[in-house]
Amino acid sequence: MSLGEKDLNSYLIPAEPVMTELVIKKSRFICWIYPVESRQEALAQVASLTEQYPDARHHCWAYIAGPPEGATQIAWSDAGEPQGTAGKPILNVLQHHGVRNILAVVVRYFGGIKLGAGGLVRAYSGATQQTMEALNTTIKVATEVLVIELNYDQEPRFKQLMKEYGVELLDSTYGVSVCYTLSVPVSELKLFTERVTSFSKGQLQLATHDTQ
């Protein structure tokens, strides 16, 4: 499944982890793909797999985190393989498929036969490609987080407006006024804020919230 790069309001992410194995000249290439949303999450998963396969010679990886329209985080590692023969080929496969929030880790058990630089590139690319073909994806809707304060008598009408625009309530606090933290689809953000401003007659306070 693929999604056009021009559709910035939704994008593909892994639905669940998946693993496949490729054997080339007695070397085993075990590729895991995981959904991740940050560098910290990706590196933690790499560390976990390193512990899971402690006797493997290499644990090479690449990840892409972040929506297409945002500040995308990209990184890769050859993990001891010759420079440019593992991490970047893995990343190239991920980028070709256009899936975001994705980590691929290829664990290599050396089989005693050297593959050469070209052979390593083909092996790491092939292992990643094979796993991508087994991957199930789901569509993630790009969202913006907003914080909104409103009076108690505005709450019922505002909840109806949330349903109309597919807005998710992330958190709420009740004091002198009601404070909502919302997840708003990017595609509906402009119209939603215009509708809120219109019906509230300036009484609502909208403040963008840092999603990081």
Side-chain angles (χ1 to χ4, degrees):
M1 185 179 184
S2 62
L3 192 69
E5 288 294 326
K6 293 182 180 180
D7 186 358
L8 301 183
N9 295 324
S10 60
Y11 50 97
L12 293 177
I13 62 172
E16 58 193 2
V18 64
M19 181 272 285
T20 70
E21 181 174 338
L22 184 65
V23 178
I24 300 177
K25 294 183 178 180
K26 299 183 179 180
S27 281
R28 295 173 60 202
F29 294 85
I30 303 169
C31 180
W32 278 93
I33 289 180
Y34 293 91
V36 296
E37 294 190 356
S38 66
R39 174 179 176 82
Q40 292 76 14
E41 189 176 347
L43 294 182
Q45 190 60 64
V46 172
S48 176
L49 278 181
T50 301
E51 293 180 0
Q52 184 177 340
Y53 300 95
D55 53 340
R57 178 170 289 193
H58 303 283
H59 305 80
C60 308
W61 53 268
Y63 72 81
I64 304 172
E69 80 284 358
T72 303
Q73 301 177 58
I74 297 176
W76 65 91
S77 171
D78 294 312
E81 294 282 28
Q83 185 176 358
T85 63
K88 194 61 182 293
I90 295 171
L91 177 64
N92 287 342
V93 173
L94 300 185
Q95 290 176 319
H96 175 74
H97 283 270
V99 180
R100 296 301 180 112
N101 290 358
I102 185 170
L103 163 71
V105 184
V106 181
V107 178
R108 182 190 182 193
Y109 283 91
F110 182 53
I113 301 174
K114 292 185 177 180
L115 302 181
L120 287 173
V121 170
R122 289 189 293 273
Y124 280 101
S125 298
T128 308
Q129 175 65 29
Q130 176 178 277
T131 312
M132 286 298 299
E133 291 173 358
L135 179 69
N136 291 320
T137 58
T138 186
I139 295 177
K140 181 178 178 65
V141 177
T143 59
E144 182 73 33
V145 177
L146 299 181
V147 176
I148 296 179
E149 293 186 16
L150 59 153
N151 299 328
Y152 281 86
D153 60 356
Q154 296 172 315
E155 191 177 20
R157 187 176 178 187
F158 188 76
K159 286 183 175 179
Q160 184 60 41
L161 195 65
M162 289 171 56
K163 291 181 180 179
E164 184 177 339
Y165 286 91
V167 175
E168 180 184 359
L169 178 62
L170 300 178
D171 190 31
S172 61
T173 57
Y174 292 85
V176 176
S177 61
V178 181
C179 182
Y180 280 173
T181 301
L182 308 171
S183 177
V184 184
V186 169
S187 60
E188 303 288 356
L189 183 60
K190 184 175 184 295
L191 287 177
F192 175 71
T193 53
E194 287 177 353
R195 284 287 304 279
V196 170
T197 302
S198 175
F199 92 73
S200 65
K201 298 180 180 179
Q203 297 179 56
L204 294 183
Q205 300 296 319
L206 287 77
T208 57
H209 181 75
D210 189 350
T211 58
Q212 297 181 3

mmCIF file of all heavy atoms in Angstrom, residues 61-84:
data_model
loop_
_atom_site.group_PDB
_atom_site.id
_atom_site.type_symbol
_atom_site.label_atom_id
_atom_site.label_comp_id
_atom_site.label_asym_id
_atom_site.label_seq_id
_atom_site.Cartn_x
_atom_site.Cartn_y
_atom_site.Cartn_z
ATOM 1 N N TRP A 61 20.557 -0.196 11.631
ATOM 2 C CA TRP A 61 19.203 0.335 11.709
ATOM 3 C C TRP A 61 19.051 1.671 10.993
ATOM 4 O O TRP A 61 20.042 2.348 10.681
ATOM 5 C CB TRP A 61 18.771 0.499 13.171
ATOM 6 C CG TRP A 61 19.724 1.305 14.023
ATOM 7 C CD1 TRP A 61 20.759 0.816 14.788
ATOM 8 C CD2 TRP A 61 19.760 2.729 14.178
ATOM 9 N NE1 TRP A 61 21.424 1.847 15.415
ATOM 10 C CE2 TRP A 61 20.833 3.025 15.068
ATOM 11 C CE3 TRP A 61 18.997 3.773 13.676
ATOM 12 C CZ2 TRP A 61 21.152 4.324 15.451
ATOM 13 C CZ3 TRP A 61 19.313 5.085 14.048
ATOM 14 C CH2 TRP A 61 20.373 5.333 14.937
ATOM 15 N N ALA A 62 17.783 2.033 10.795
ATOM 16 C CA ALA A 62 17.413 3.358 10.281
ATOM 17 C C ALA A 62 15.983 3.635 10.706
ATOM 18 O O ALA A 62 15.187 2.714 10.885
ATOM 19 C CB ALA A 62 17.532 3.416 8.767
ATOM 20 N N TYR A 63 15.671 4.907 10.898
ATOM 21 C CA TYR A 63 14.285 5.265 11.237
ATOM 22 C C TYR A 63 13.895 6.589 10.613
ATOM 23 O O TYR A 63 14.742 7.428 10.267
ATOM 24 C CB TYR A 63 14.065 5.300 12.753
ATOM 25 C CG TYR A 63 14.703 6.472 13.472
ATOM 26 C CD1 TYR A 63 14.094 7.727 13.508
ATOM 27 C CD2 TYR A 63 15.913 6.320 14.141
ATOM 28 C CE1 TYR A 63 14.676 8.793 14.171
ATOM 29 C CE2 TYR A 63 16.498 7.380 14.812
ATOM 30 C CZ TYR A 63 15.883 8.617 14.821
ATOM 31 O OH TYR A 63 16.461 9.673 15.469
ATOM 32 N N ILE A 64 12.582 6.763 10.462
ATOM 33 C CA ILE A 64 11.982 8.023 10.018
ATOM 34 C C ILE A 64 10.831 8.315 10.969
ATOM 35 O O ILE A 64 9.911 7.509 11.094
ATOM 36 C CB ILE A 64 11.438 7.916 8.581
ATOM 37 C CG1 ILE A 64 12.533 7.479 7.613
ATOM 38 C CG2 ILE A 64 10.846 9.256 8.140
ATOM 39 C CD1 ILE A 64 12.019 7.170 6.208
ATOM 40 N N ALA A 65 10.876 9.428 11.646
ATOM 41 C CA ALA A 65 9.823 9.783 12.598
ATOM 42 C C ALA A 65 9.314 11.185 12.299
ATOM 43 O O ALA A 65 10.086 12.088 12.017
ATOM 44 C CB ALA A 65 10.335 9.707 14.037
ATOM 45 N N GLY A 66 7.995 11.352 12.359
ATOM 46 C CA GLY A 66 7.395 12.658 12.152
ATOM 47 C C GLY A 66 6.549 12.703 10.903
ATOM 48 O O GLY A 66 6.791 11.956 9.945
ATOM 49 N N PRO A 67 5.528 13.561 10.891
ATOM 50 C CA PRO A 67 4.630 13.680 9.736
ATOM 51 C C PRO A 67 5.314 14.353 8.559
ATOM 52 O O PRO A 67 6.318 15.047 8.722
ATOM 53 C CB PRO A 67 3.483 14.535 10.280
ATOM 54 C CG PRO A 67 4.123 15.354 11.358
ATOM 55 C CD PRO A 67 5.150 14.464 11.994
ATOM 56 N N PRO A 68 4.803 14.168 7.344
ATOM 57 C CA PRO A 68 5.438 14.740 6.151
ATOM 58 C C PRO A 68 5.608 16.250 6.204
ATOM 59 O O PRO A 68 6.585 16.781 5.685
ATOM 60 C CB PRO A 68 4.472 14.338 5.024
ATOM 61 C CG PRO A 68 3.802 13.117 5.529
ATOM 62 C CD PRO A 68 3.647 13.332 7.015
ATOM 63 N N GLU A 69 4.655 16.971 6.833
ATOM 64 C CA GLU A 69 4.733 18.432 6.827
ATOM 65 C C GLU A 69 5.515 18.978 8.012
ATOM 66 O O GLU A 69 5.730 20.175 8.121
ATOM 67 C CB GLU A 69 3.318 19.034 6.823
ATOM 68 C CG GLU A 69 2.630 19.071 8.180
ATOM 69 C CD GLU A 69 2.115 17.722 8.632
ATOM 70 O OE1 GLU A 69 2.251 16.748 7.879
ATOM 71 O OE2 GLU A 69 1.568 17.654 9.747
ATOM 72 N N GLY A 70 5.966 18.108 8.914
ATOM 73 C CA GLY A 70 6.645 18.568 10.124
ATOM 74 C C GLY A 70 8.156 18.423 10.034
ATOM 75 O O GLY A 70 8.728 18.150 8.983
ATOM 76 N N ALA A 71 8.797 18.612 11.178
ATOM 77 C CA ALA A 71 10.244 18.461 11.270
ATOM 78 C C ALA A 71 10.570 16.977 11.412
ATOM 79 O O ALA A 71 10.553 16.416 12.498
ATOM 80 C CB ALA A 71 10.776 19.254 12.468
ATOM 81 N N THR A 72 10.858 16.341 10.293
ATOM 82 C CA THR A 72 11.080 14.901 10.281
ATOM 83 C C THR A 72 12.422 14.564 10.915
ATOM 84 O O THR A 72 13.434 15.199 10.637
ATOM 85 C CB THR A 72 11.038 14.367 8.839
ATOM 86 O OG1 THR A 72 9.782 14.710 8.263
ATOM 87 C CG2 THR A 72 11.224 12.872 8.807
ATOM 88 N N GLN A 73 12.425 13.533 11.746
ATOM 89 C CA GLN A 73 13.653 13.021 12.337
ATOM 90 C C GLN A 73 14.091 11.797 11.540
ATOM 91 O O GLN A 73 13.329 10.845 11.384
ATOM 92 C CB GLN A 73 13.428 12.634 13.793
ATOM 93 C CG GLN A 73 12.938 13.774 14.678
ATOM 94 C CD GLN A 73 12.673 13.296 16.091
ATOM 95 O OE1 GLN A 73 13.549 12.773 16.763
ATOM 96 N NE2 GLN A 73 11.443 13.463 16.536
ATOM 97 N N ILE A 74 15.320 11.816 11.047
ATOM 98 C CA ILE A 74 15.874 10.713 10.276
ATOM 99 C C ILE A 74 17.263 10.390 10.801
ATOM 100 O O ILE A 74 18.069 11.298 11.050
ATOM 101 C CB ILE A 74 15.957 11.057 8.776
ATOM 102 C CG1 ILE A 74 14.567 11.304 8.193
ATOM 103 C CG2 ILE A 74 16.659 9.949 7.994
ATOM 104 C CD1 ILE A 74 14.589 11.747 6.741
ATOM 105 N N ALA A 75 17.549 9.106 10.982
ATOM 106 C CA ALA A 75 18.884 8.693 11.401
ATOM 107 C C ALA A 75 19.122 7.260 10.970
ATOM 108 O O ALA A 75 18.176 6.519 10.693
ATOM 109 C CB ALA A 75 19.044 8.832 12.919
ATOM 110 N N TRP A 76 20.387 6.869 10.907
ATOM 111 C CA TRP A 76 20.743 5.500 10.545
ATOM 112 C C TRP A 76 22.109 5.156 11.127
ATOM 113 O O TRP A 76 22.866 6.034 11.519
ATOM 114 C CB TRP A 76 20.749 5.337 9.023
ATOM 115 C CG TRP A 76 21.790 6.152 8.312
ATOM 116 C CD1 TRP A 76 23.068 5.797 7.991
ATOM 117 C CD2 TRP A 76 21.628 7.498 7.833
ATOM 118 N NE1 TRP A 76 23.719 6.826 7.347
ATOM 119 C CE2 TRP A 76 22.856 7.864 7.233
ATOM 120 C CE3 TRP A 76 20.571 8.414 7.845
ATOM 121 C CZ2 TRP A 76 23.050 9.127 6.653
ATOM 122 C CZ3 TRP A 76 20.773 9.652 7.279
ATOM 123 C CH2 TRP A 76 21.982 10.004 6.688
ATOM 124 N N SER A 77 22.410 3.867 11.177
ATOM 125 C CA SER A 77 23.684 3.411 11.718
ATOM 126 C C SER A 77 24.147 2.154 10.990
ATOM 127 O O SER A 77 23.357 1.227 10.781
ATOM 128 C CB SER A 77 23.562 3.113 13.218
ATOM 129 O OG SER A 77 24.746 2.485 13.706
ATOM 130 N N ASP A 78 25.449 2.134 10.619
ATOM 131 C CA ASP A 78 26.039 0.943 10.018
ATOM 132 C C ASP A 78 26.467 -0.074 11.073
ATOM 133 O O ASP A 78 26.740 -1.238 10.734
ATOM 134 C CB ASP A 78 27.254 1.321 9.170
ATOM 135 C CG ASP A 78 26.867 2.157 7.953
ATOM 136 O OD1 ASP A 78 25.919 1.766 7.250
ATOM 137 O OD2 ASP A 78 27.511 3.195 7.710
ATOM 138 N N ALA A 79 26.541 0.355 12.320
ATOM 139 C CA ALA A 79 26.811 -0.540 13.449
ATOM 140 C C ALA A 79 27.996 -1.474 13.213
ATOM 141 O O ALA A 79 27.920 -2.669 13.475
ATOM 142 C CB ALA A 79 25.564 -1.350 13.784
ATOM 143 N N GLY A 80 29.075 -0.908 12.714
ATOM 144 C CA GLY A 80 30.288 -1.702 12.539
ATOM 145 C C GLY A 80 30.512 -2.242 11.144
ATOM 146 O O GLY A 80 31.616 -2.693 10.819
ATOM 147 N N GLU A 81 29.495 -2.224 10.298
ATOM 148 C CA GLU A 81 29.687 -2.607 8.904
ATOM 149 C C GLU A 81 30.431 -1.474 8.178
ATOM 150 O O GLU A 81 30.455 -0.334 8.652
ATOM 151 C CB GLU A 81 28.339 -2.859 8.221
ATOM 152 C CG GLU A 81 27.556 -4.054 8.732
ATOM 153 C CD GLU A 81 28.091 -5.392 8.203
ATOM 154 O OE1 GLU A 81 29.311 -5.474 7.910
ATOM 155 O OE2 GLU A 81 27.293 -6.336 8.114
ATOM 156 N N PRO A 82 31.059 -1.744 7.036
ATOM 157 C CA PRO A 82 31.724 -0.670 6.283
ATOM 158 C C PRO A 82 30.766 0.488 6.019
ATOM 159 O O PRO A 82 29.580 0.273 5.744
ATOM 160 C CB PRO A 82 32.143 -1.368 4.984
ATOM 161 C CG PRO A 82 32.317 -2.803 5.370
ATOM 162 C CD PRO A 82 31.249 -3.058 6.403
ATOM 163 N N GLN A 83 31.288 1.692 6.099
ATOM 164 C CA GLN A 83 30.452 2.881 5.978
ATOM 165 C C GLN A 83 29.631 2.880 4.689
ATOM 166 O O GLN A 83 30.152 2.641 3.601
ATOM 167 C CB GLN A 83 31.321 4.143 6.020
ATOM 168 C CG GLN A 83 30.522 5.440 6.011
ATOM 169 C CD GLN A 83 31.420 6.654 6.153
ATOM 170 O OE1 GLN A 83 32.619 6.538 6.297
ATOM 171 N NE2 GLN A 83 30.818 7.830 6.125
ATOM 172 N N GLY A 84 28.329 3.133 4.849
ATOM 173 C CA GLY A 84 27.442 3.242 3.709
ATOM 174 C C GLY A 84 26.885 1.935 3.187
ATOM 175 O O GLY A 84 26.131 1.931 2.208
#
